[in-house]
């Protein structure tokens, strides 16, 4: 349910859905005079539509001291506007048989509704209304701040793995806001005010900072007309700031941390490396890292599983993660959960030995062929999930990529060579660019 | 015998707001039934198989056997070990998932048209010839034990397990289908072979398929895949008595936010009042922002991020469940508000406007479920398991619309039992003590 946010850079268990764009040509994009970007993805199999608006503003764009305000504002967007009472937005969607929600990440905040296709005009009218006409009260602030604090309790405070991830990120990013959790640090969330929320809203919520994605049973010309009648009536914000963030300096020293919690049942080793993201017109290295993550740690046939689970039997689970869709430098992550009786030290050493061996031995061409076959098939399977395609475009455009980048991506993945994968591996998997964390039971002795 | 395949029913419908879903009821030459929706625009098929019984079929003292057996199906079959099986699956880009729950073992498969036969041969091996190799058994056993150890320190899992024990006692529903650390550790290969024999049989099989396949092709595929299964499996246990009493159960656990699972006796899926109860729940605590519980506990008081209730009509018992989580010093207020809302709905009922809004939402949301071959295949298998008629997708919304505020309030007075509502609270709740009404 609702007002959810996604922890994109945390060691997440959702591997990125890989690309359906190549054989998906039913995409139209255009821009309104006020700078609003619109993407339409047609799928006429069912008379249903998904309408999303993505703001190029996430937690990494927050002012210092106000962490969590992007996500807080996301909650507050369901309160009153000039023409809608508090709660009336969702009630109206529900009264039209639809579903709505929203989510916040480091680089974007997004709102969406799924409804019958003939209700699109109403959704666009309401969504464009709350882009600029929000009317918040102090009472909204006090109750909704309690809600986000309970959300933090549920997602983070009650979960030692989430607390550990938060510390890992904080250590990985010394100078970039990706080191601050999307939901915010608790002590700063407790002080978020009406003026914090309105400040973020007035700075970032405008047509020239938004992307509208409409997918489903729609005609692009109709969408253009509706967009013009709704969003098109809002003037651009001439004071929209450049999206400039403090960047990470080159990391030159290996970093380590240990997090202990009595609620940990299963200790594990987590490793992250600072890694480049997908850049517009320059996605080759990111593509090589996507394939590297699959080769190293994606399922039964992956390199680390083979070594650590089947051969040495020192781990019950191992995995590699790389997202790649991010505005600034992201991370390449590894995880090893040791077998019963195996220490974290032994597990970490086995991981490093396996990585060193991989860097010497290189890519198994047959394994790479199988992964590429799966990527091609995923383009077919993805056609069955038009909402997934809409999400992919929205995220990409909010993360600095273009429609052309998204459409080029499947071919770029297919063209990656073993040499490129090994070059990316040597570039990224360097100890001096790493953070290694041990999640431990409270009573465990460090070895 | 000469008949390749009998298409018994061709049922067609169209929603106001959903694609035309044409469900065909087919009987294969070997006599198996399946429901099919042909969808040739994308070259793949989703196949959903359900075997009734699930983890409730565990033999006495063998808790977790069905779960472990199911998890091992993709860990080596026929002449392939686990890694050879996985490589073969990757080469075909087919996806199989195997899952065991209280009431069924489910197999969800997705395969391309271009290599359908090879993908199905692989799935056939997994279903009929799993190897249960000692190294695979130990590997997966260790993963399940680790997961159970995690559960023991997770407040949500603790709450669910304690609630299930209180609700169902010694019935299989009363314990975790994954087993306990001790029971899983003691399982032998012979137990897994027996669980396999107990679960996979034709007398409890339900099949849904959606995608790029004709009835004739599907019939041949099903017979090849499943025709050789034994006729009968292990006897499914009898109904579970719902043992819940009203009151609060507290499980001390050091964590900042208390997690509560609550519930009472429910209503059977086949009960003529089921839809009235379903609408009632939508008003009271269904998963939207408009529910009374969300409004009172979250929107008005900021006591939680989420509070929900839902009807859980399982095969062998029906319960009415919910959950909420609040900081330790606020959970008592959240619990009190929920009890008050339970009482208010039971004694004063709900309004006509609330009922109408809930019906609009439910009827509008229903077609949105039909969004993808895999989801539709699951719906088809689920409908058959619940004994619903093939025209249900066309009549379901009419059944919702037929519910009146009088129906809802009659059912509210009858079903909602504030004195029988049990809360299991895990955490360090302030101001809540153990109690039984």
């Amino acid at each position: 349910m609702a007002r959810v946010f996604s922890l994109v850079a945390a060691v997440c268990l959702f591997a990125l859905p890989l690309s359906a764009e190549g054989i998906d040509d039913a995409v139209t994009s255009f821009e309104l005079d006020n700078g609003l970007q619109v993407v339409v993805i047609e799928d006429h199999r069912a008379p249903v539509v998904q309408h999303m608006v993505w703001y190029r503003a996430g937690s990494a764009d927050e002012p210092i001291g106000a962490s969590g305000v992007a996500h807080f504002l996301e909650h507050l967007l369901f309160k009153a506007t000039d023409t809608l009472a508090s709660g009336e937005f969702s009630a109206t969607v529900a009264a039209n048989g639809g579903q709505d929600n929203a989510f916040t990440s480091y680089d974007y905040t997004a709102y969406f509704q799924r409804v019958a296709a003939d209700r699109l005009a109403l959704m666009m009218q309401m969504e464009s209304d709350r882009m600029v006409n929000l009317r918040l009260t102090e009472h909204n602030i006090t109750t909704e701040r309690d809600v986000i604090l309970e959300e933090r309790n549920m997602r983070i405070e009650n979960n030692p793995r989430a607390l550990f991830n938060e510390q890992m990120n904080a250590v990985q990013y010394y100078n970039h806001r990706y080191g601050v959790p999307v939901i915010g640090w608790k002590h700063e969330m407790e002080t978020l005010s009406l003026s914090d929320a309105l400040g973020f809203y007035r700075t970032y919520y405008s047509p020239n900072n938004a992307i509208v994605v409409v997918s489903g049973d729609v005609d692009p010309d109709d969408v253009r007309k509706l967009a013009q009648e709704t969003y098109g009536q809002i003037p651009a914000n001439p004071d929209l700031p450049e999206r400039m963030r403090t960047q990470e300096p080159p990391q030159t020293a290996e970093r380590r941390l240990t997090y202990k919690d009595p609620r940990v049942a299963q200790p594990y080793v987590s490793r992250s490396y600072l890694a480049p993201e997908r850049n517009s017109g320059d996605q080759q290295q990111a593509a090589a890292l996507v394939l590297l993550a699959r080769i190293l740690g994606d399922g039964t046939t992956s390199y680390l599983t083979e070594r650590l689970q089947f051969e040495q039997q020192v781990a019950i689970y191992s995995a590699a993660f790389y997202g790649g869709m991010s505005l600034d430098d992201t991370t390449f992550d590894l995880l090893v959960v040791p077998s019963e009786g195996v220490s974290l030290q032994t597990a970490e050493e086995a991981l490093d030995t396996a990585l060193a061996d991989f860097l010497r031995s290189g890519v198994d061409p047959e394994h790479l062929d199988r992964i590429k076959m799966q990527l091609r098939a995923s383009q077919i399977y993805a056609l069955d999930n038009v909402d997934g395609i809409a999400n992919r475009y929205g995220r990409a455009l909010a993360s600095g990529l273009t429609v052309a980048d998204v459409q080029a991506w499947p071919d770029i993945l297919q063209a990656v060579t073993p040499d490129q994968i090994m070059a990316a591996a040597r570039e990224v998997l360097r100890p001096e660019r790493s953070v290694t964390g041990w999640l431990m039971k409270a009573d465990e002795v460090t070895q | 015998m000469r008949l390749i395949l009998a298409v018994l029913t061709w049922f067609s419908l169209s929603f106001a707001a959903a694609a035309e879903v044409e469900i065909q009821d087919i009987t294969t030459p070997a006599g198996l039934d399946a429901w099919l929706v042909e969808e040739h625009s994308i070259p793949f098929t989703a196949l959903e198989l359900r075997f009734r019984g699930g983890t409730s079929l565990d033999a006495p003292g063998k808790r977790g056997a069905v779960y472990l057996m199911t998890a091992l199906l993709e860990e080596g079959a026929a002449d392939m070990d686990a890694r050879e099986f996985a490589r073969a699956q990757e080469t075909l880009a087919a996806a199989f998932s195997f899952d065991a729950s209280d009431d069924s073992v489910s197999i969800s498969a997705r395969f391309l048209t271009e290599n359908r036969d090879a993908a199905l041969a692989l799935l056939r091996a997994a279903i009929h010839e799993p190897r249960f190799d000692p190294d695979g058994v130990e590997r997966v056993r260790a993963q399940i034990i680790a997961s159970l150890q995690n559960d023991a320190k997770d407040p949500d899992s603790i709450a669910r397990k304690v609630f299930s024990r209180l609700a169902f006692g010694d019935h299989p529903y009363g314990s975790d289908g994954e087993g306990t650390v001790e029971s899983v550790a003691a399982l032998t290969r012979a137990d897994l072979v027996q669980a396999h024999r107990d679960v996979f049989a034709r007398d409890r099989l339900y099949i849904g398929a959606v995608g790029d396949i004709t009835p004739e092709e599907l019939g041949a595929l099903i017979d090849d895949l499943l025709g050789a299964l034994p006729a009968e499996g292990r006897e499914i246990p009898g109904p579970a008595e719902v043992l819940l009493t009203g009151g609060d159960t507290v499980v001390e656990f050091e964590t900042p936010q208390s997690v509560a699972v609550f519930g009472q006796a429910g209503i059977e899926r086949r009960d003529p009042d089921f839809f009235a109860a379903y609408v009632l729940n939508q008003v009271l605590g269904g998963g939207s922002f408009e529910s009374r519980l969300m409004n009172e506990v979250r929107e008005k008081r900021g006591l939680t991020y989420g509070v929900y209730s839902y009807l859980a009509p399982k095969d062998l018992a029906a319960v009415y469940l919910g959950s909420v989580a609040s900081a330790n010093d606020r959970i008592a207020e959240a619990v009190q508000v929920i009890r008050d809302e339970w009482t208010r709905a039971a004694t004063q009922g709900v309004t006509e406007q609330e009922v109408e809004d809930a019906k609009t939402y439910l009827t509008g949301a229903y077609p949105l479920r039909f969004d993808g071959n895999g989801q539709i295949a699951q719906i088809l298998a689920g409908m058959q398991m619940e004994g619903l008629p093939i025209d249900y997708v066309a009549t379901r919304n009419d059944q919702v619309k037929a519910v009146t505020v009088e129906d809802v309030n009659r059912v509210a007075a009858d079903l909602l039992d504030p004195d029988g509502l049990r809360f299991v609270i895990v955490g360090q709740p302030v101001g809540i003590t153990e109690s039984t009404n």
Side-chain angles (χ1 to χ4, degrees):
Chain A
M1 165 122 200
R3 284 58 149 173
V4 284
F5 72 95
S6 53
L7 284 168
V8 169
V11 177
C12 50
L13 296 173
F14 348 90
L16 280 181
L18 283 158
S19 297
E21 299 86 8
I23 49 176
D24 154 40
D25 288 317
V27 175
T28 309
S29 70
F30 53 88
E31 194 174 306
L32 301 186
D33 292 342
N34 59 10
L36 181 85
Q37 196 167 0
V38 184
V39 178
V40 183
I41 300 151
E42 291 177 74
D43 179 349
H44 300 287
R45 292 184 300 158
V48 175
V49 66
Q50 173 155 297
H51 169 238
M52 314 186 83
V53 61
W54 297 69
Y55 292 98
R56 292 183 181 89
S59 66
D61 300 294
E62 293 163 346
I64 286 169
S67 64
V69 71
H71 169 249
F72 188 33
L73 178 63
E74 177 223 300
H75 279 233
L76 295 169
L77 240 70
F78 294 84
K79 304 299 182 189
T81 69
D82 287 343
T83 50
L84 289 176
S86 184
E88 194 177 346
F89 189 105
S90 290
T92 305
V93 177
N96 282 276
Q99 297 166 338
D100 72 323
N101 217 322
F103 49 91
T104 304
S105 188
Y106 296 105
D107 295 324
Y108 50 78
T109 309
Y111 302 81
F112 67 91
Q113 303 89 38
R114 290 187 71 223
V115 285
D118 60 0
R119 312 296 160 91
L120 177 62
L122 177 62
M123 298 302 119
M124 293 178 88
Q125 183 263 313
M126 291 200 302
E127 193 66 82
S128 62
D129 172 49
R130 68 176 171 178
M131 181 181 282
V132 288
N133 294 324
L134 196 60
R135 293 294 170 259
L136 296 177
T137 67
E138 284 292 348
H139 180 69
N140 294 151
I141 296 297
T142 48
T143 52
E144 203 63 29
R145 196 171 50 210
D146 282 344
V147 170
I148 60 169
L149 284 164
E150 290 294 355
E151 185 176 353
R152 185 181 159 88
N153 276 340
M154 185 188 81
R155 293 184 189 279
I156 313 285
E157 305 289 344
N158 255 27
N159 181 347
R161 294 174 300 282
L163 287 164
F164 173 54
N165 281 340
E166 214 170 53
Q167 296 297 315
M168 284 285 294
N169 271 332
V171 172
Q172 177 68 76
Y173 290 101
Y174 275 5
N175 201 44
H176 192 285
R177 286 288 297 215
Y178 290 165
V180 176
V182 171
I183 199 163
W185 296 120
K186 188 176 181 187
H187 68 286
E188 293 185 355
M189 294 169 70
E190 285 165 347
T191 68
L192 289 174
S193 66
L194 180 58
S195 69
D196 289 330
L198 289 178
F200 198 81
Y201 180 60
R202 288 177 184 138
T203 305
Y204 292 112
Y205 281 52
S206 62
N208 45 327
N209 200 37
I211 302 136
V212 167
V213 182
V214 179
S215 60
D217 187 20
V218 290
D219 176 89
D221 290 334
D222 293 341
V223 175
R224 183 192 294 266
K225 182 166 164 292
L226 290 173
Q228 187 58 46
E229 289 166 5
T230 55
Y231 297 101
Q233 305 307 304
I234 305 170
N237 174 10
D239 301 320
L240 178 69
E242 276 276 319
R243 224 176 169 190
M244 308 232 311
R245 292 139 167 204
T246 53
Q247 297 296 311
E248 276 305 290
Q251 184 182 343
T252 53
E254 187 179 346
R255 300 169 193 165
R256 303 189 65 84
L257 68 141
T258 299
Y259 178 77
K260 295 185 183 184
D261 192 311
R263 295 168 297 176
V264 171
Q266 179 64 65
Y268 59 81
V269 180
S270 182
R271 165 78 57 77
S272 73
Y273 300 90
L274 210 55
E277 77 285 7
R278 287 168 64 179
N279 287 309
S280 185
D282 175 18
Q283 303 186 86
Q284 283 80 6
Q285 194 180 19
L289 289 170
V290 166
L291 290 166
L292 177 67
R294 291 191 67 144
I295 289 167
L296 283 179
D298 182 37
T300 306
T301 65
S302 67
Y303 190 84
L304 292 176
T305 304
E306 175 87 22
R307 291 289 300 270
L308 306 181
Q309 287 169 251
F310 282 96
E311 288 177 14
Q312 301 171 30
Q313 302 186 2
V314 294
I316 58 165
Y317 178 73
S318 59
F321 311 95
Y322 171 74
M325 217 187 267
S326 172
L327 193 60
D328 299 314
D329 274 358
T330 182
T331 56
F332 189 99
D333 298 286
L334 300 168
L335 189 68
V336 180
V337 182
S339 304
E340 180 77 28
V342 174
S343 70
L344 293 172
Q345 183 69 46
T346 302
E348 183 181 338
E349 284 166 6
L351 169 67
D352 282 323
T353 304
L355 289 175
D357 290 348
F358 175 76
L359 289 172
R360 272 196 301 277
S361 63
V363 173
D364 170 4
E366 281 181 21
H367 189 192
L368 183 58
D369 284 347
R370 292 198 306 273
I371 291 170
K372 287 186 176 178
M373 167 64 185
Q374 289 180 285
L375 291 174
R376 289 194 296 276
S378 75
Q379 293 178 248
I380 293 172
Y381 293 136
L383 291 176
D384 196 35
N385 179 4
V386 70
D387 296 346
I389 301 174
N391 264 299
R392 202 171 313 121
Y393 274 90
R395 274 185 345 123
L397 297 183
S399 305
L401 300 174
T402 65
V403 170
D405 291 325
V406 177
Q407 292 179 336
W409 180 243
D411 288 342
I412 292 172
L413 284 169
Q414 290 295 325
V416 171
T417 66
D419 285 348
Q420 289 171 324
I421 294 168
M422 296 313 295
R426 280 188 291 270
E427 170 70 17
V428 169
L429 303 179
R430 295 191 340 223
E432 69 273 20
R433 290 174 56 145
S434 71
V435 177
T436 305
W438 288 8
L439 177 66
M440 306 179 76
K441 300 175 187 179
D443 52 0
E444 203 163 2
V445 180
T446 311
Q447 294 158 33
Chain B
M1 195 60 197
R2 298 278 68 86
L3 185 63
I4 301 291
L5 177 128
V7 176
L8 295 181
T9 315
W10 177 291
F11 186 77
S12 174
L13 67 113
S14 61
F15 290 115
E20 195 161 340
V21 178
E22 295 177 342
I23 305 174
Q24 301 173 64
D25 181 349
I26 68 170
T27 299
T28 71
L32 289 163
D33 288 317
W35 288 4
L36 165 68
V37 173
E38 285 185 73
E39 163 58 64
H40 295 285
S41 69
I42 306 174
F44 82 99
T45 300
L47 178 67
E48 180 77 13
L49 311 176
R50 297 266 173 91
F51 293 88
R52 191 192 295 278
T55 59
S56 296
L57 294 180
D58 279 337
K62 305 297 181 187
R63 197 61 172 145
V66 168
Y67 190 85
L68 177 59
M69 179 278 292
T70 305
L72 283 164
L73 293 176
E74 57 184 339
E75 295 289 332
D79 57 351
M80 293 164 284
D81 68 18
R83 285 171 285 181
E84 289 165 341
F85 184 88
R87 281 194 282 270
Q89 195 180 335
E90 287 173 3
T91 303
L92 298 165
F96 308 139
S97 74
F98 305 88
D99 192 30
S101 63
D102 281 358
D103 286 333
S104 67
V105 167
S106 62
I107 299 175
S108 310
R110 189 177 69 174
F111 41 86
L112 300 173
T113 304
E114 67 184 57
N115 58 29
R116 184 162 66 209
D117 290 347
L120 266 295
L122 202 56
L123 183 58
R124 190 182 194 289
I127 295 173
H128 290 271
E129 302 175 85
R131 286 165 46 147
F132 305 126
D133 285 334
D135 64 333
V137 171
E138 294 317 313
R139 203 158 23 79
V140 176
R141 188 201 309 268
Q143 290 169 343
I144 292 173
I145 287 175
S147 157
L148 290 169
Q149 287 167 338
N150 265 324
D151 287 354
K153 292 193 174 184
D154 175 63
D156 296 278
S157 302
I158 296 168
R160 280 195 301 274
K161 287 185 193 195
V162 171
F163 188 92
S164 295
R165 171 63 62 182
L166 289 172
F168 300 114
D170 292 333
H171 190 276
Y173 281 0
S175 63
D176 187 346
E178 288 185 44
T180 64
V181 170
E182 294 72 28
S183 73
V184 173
L187 292 171
T188 65
R189 186 176 189 282
D191 296 331
L192 300 172
V193 170
Q194 185 61 47
H196 182 263
R197 175 65 192 81
D198 291 342
V199 165
F200 295 111
R202 293 174 52 158
D203 64 341
R204 59 200 58 208
L205 170 61
Y206 304 88
I207 306 169
V210 180
D212 184 24
I213 193 166
T214 65
E216 292 72 23
E217 290 167 336
L218 179 65
L221 181 157
I222 287 171
D223 282 350
D224 184 48
L225 183 67
L226 303 161
L229 286 175
E232 293 178 356
R234 184 185 180 88
E235 190 184 347
I236 294 171
E241 190 185 349
V242 180
L243 307 169
L244 290 169
T245 57
D248 295 334
T249 301
V250 175
V251 182
E252 276 291 329
F253 185 76
E254 200 174 321
T255 203
Q257 187 185 52
S258 290
V259 173
V261 168
F262 56 91
Q264 59 153 77
I267 181 169
E268 298 287 345
R269 182 68 186 77
R270 287 157 201 269
D271 193 300
D273 279 330
F274 181 81
F275 277 106
Y278 194 64
V279 171
L280 167 66
N281 178 61
Q282 185 63 28
V283 173
L284 180 56
S288 86
F289 285 106
E290 320 320 316
S291 80
R292 286 183 171 193
L293 293 183
M294 273 299 255
N295 199 35
E296 295 295 329
V297 184
R298 171 172 157 155
E299 297 301 321
K300 281 192 189 164
R301 296 178 177 84
L303 290 170
T304 190
Y305 174 63
V307 52
Y308 322 99
S309 63
Y310 57 99
L311 297 170
K314 296 153 80 85
D315 273 5
L316 307 175
V319 279
Y320 189 2
L321 302 175
S323 70
V324 69
S326 302
N328 286 327
D329 61 351
R330 311 173 82 210
I331 186 74
E333 186 181 353
V335 167
Q336 188 58 49
V337 173
I338 293 167
R339 280 198 200 286
D340 290 347
E341 287 306 316
W342 222 258
T343 304
R344 182 161 75 102
T347 55
Q348 300 170 38
V350 301
T351 68
E352 183 157 9
Q353 186 63 48
E354 285 177 310
V355 168
E356 289 311 307
D357 288 347
K359 286 158 60 177
T360 308
Y361 174 78
L362 291 172
T363 53
Y366 184 61
L368 300 182
R369 294 183 195 173
F370 291 73
D371 73 336
N373 294 354
Q375 285 94 319
I376 299 173
Q378 288 182 15
I379 290 170
L380 298 184
M383 283 167 56
Q384 294 171 79
M385 238 188 112
E386 290 180 2
L388 298 169
I390 196 167
D391 66 350
Y392 174 77
V393 285
T395 63
R396 182 267 193 194
N397 271 358
D398 292 335
Q399 296 181 70
V400 173
K401 286 177 191 160
V403 171
T404 66
V405 66
E406 290 77 20
D407 296 331
V408 170
N409 288 336
R410 176 175 47 79
V411 171
D414 194 40
L415 173 67
L416 296 177
D417 180 13
D419 293 333
L421 191 60
R422 167 65 57 176
F423 282 76
V424 172
I425 301 140
V426 180
Q428 298 161 298
V430 176
I432 297 181
T433 49
E434 295 265 345
S435 64
T436 294
N437 294 334

